[in-house]
Amino acid sequence: MDIAQHQTKDETYSAAPGYFRRLTIADWLFAAALLGGALFALNRYGTYMDVYEKVILVLSAPTFAALGWHWKPVRWLMPLVALLALGAIALYDGNLEAANQRFWLRYMLSSQSAILWMSVCFFLATLFYLIGLASRSGAGGSIGSRLCWAAVVLGWTGMMVRWYESYLIGPDVGHIPISNLYEVFILFALITAMFYLYYEQRYGTRQLGPFVMLVISAAVGFLLWYTVSRDAAEIQPLVPALQSWWMKIHVPANFIGYGTFALAAMVATAYLLKSHGYLVDRLPSLELLDDVMYKAISAGFAFFTIATILGALWAAEAWGGYWSWDPKETWALIVWLNYAAWLHMRLMSGLRGRAAAWWALVGLLVTTFAFLGVNMFLSGLHSYGAL
């Protein structure tokens, strides 16, 4: 199916009247389960939340319901992760030492074990995607896709269990696991993988798996090095600036941006290879590659804009000012301006082809420095994320 047909299908679907009449009983049951879970959590843990956290919890139900209606795999992904995470929590029985004493926790479902298995699955997925591309084998790509899904399930399970483990250390230590480089590298890998899997299913772009999985494997490789060399997997109390409900929305929005920008750069790599005569018969059409690159950057830019605004509001609460030209803030602005210019040139001047692809690829270098380089080489108010 060519890109024009995809666009026609999308436009017809979005413009069709009676959207809610298209929903099935399974869709409504999924939404009801999410709402029930949110209300249960609110009733049981509401006394420990401030008003903002309660609003986030309640709004999460319709948000994830809409996501599940739009992308069906979410409807089995969320219950499966919940089942595995709750099973692990039951095995702990309130004792953190159980992670080293009970078989299923020690070798599969403790946060460190699940994240290690996630890493293995991502590496194997990269290998099978490469085999599929090199051999023109549909089986290789299919196995790679399944391994990527397995990595996503295990990664989210590890994150949920890590959240619980932080509270076993102490109620004053407990926090959502997106507060340091170890945790956000996991978040980056998971978000990038999920966006890729969405495009893979929607546009039939399994041939892009080797490209996207390379950047995910690089992130996982750094994560493993960082874990071994810095003992980064150890859960630490939050620094005062991070003890805020803002973190729960600012950081995920930020990393949706980072993940989709990385995805766009790897699609751009595939575009450049094909446009120069490499892998011509193995990659999707240039038109489809260009469209996926554009959609990834558009989605990333929207979330990165939201994250930047939220970051300014958080800074005003934490440090007394919306903007302080801190190195992290400055480089976030550079990233934003880079992709704002890319989108402006595309919409106003028709930016396409190799120029757009090279720009998206260079954008990954800018984004990587904002994500990691600032922590390595610069210091400022965000120095709590230093290597």
Side-chain angles (χ1 to χ4, degrees), residues 121-142:
C121 286
F122 273 138
F123 286 137
L124 289 175
T126 305
L127 175 62
F128 277 97
Y129 272 124
L130 285 168
I131 291 172
L133 182 67
S135 64
R136 296 185 176 88
S137 167
S142 178

Side-chain angles (χ1 to χ4, degrees), residues 335-384:
V335 170
W336 187 89
L337 290 172
N338 174 71
Y339 289 105
W342 192 97
L343 289 169
H344 175 79
M345 291 297 292
R346 183 181 181 91
L347 297 174
M348 298 294 106
S349 305
L351 179 69
R352 295 289 193 283
R354 294 179 185 174
W358 275 114
W359 192 339
L361 188 56
V362 172
L364 179 61
L365 300 178
V366 178
T367 303
T368 300
F369 189 83
F371 175 17
L372 187 59
V374 170
N375 300 79
M376 295 175 64
F377 304 113
L378 303 174
S379 61
L381 294 173
H382 291 80
S383 58
Y384 48 77

Side-chain angles (χ1 to χ4, degrees), residues 295-310:
K295 283 182 167 60
I297 289 177
S298 297
F301 182 75
F303 278 96
F304 199 77
T305 300
I306 293 170
T308 303
I309 295 171
L310 293 173

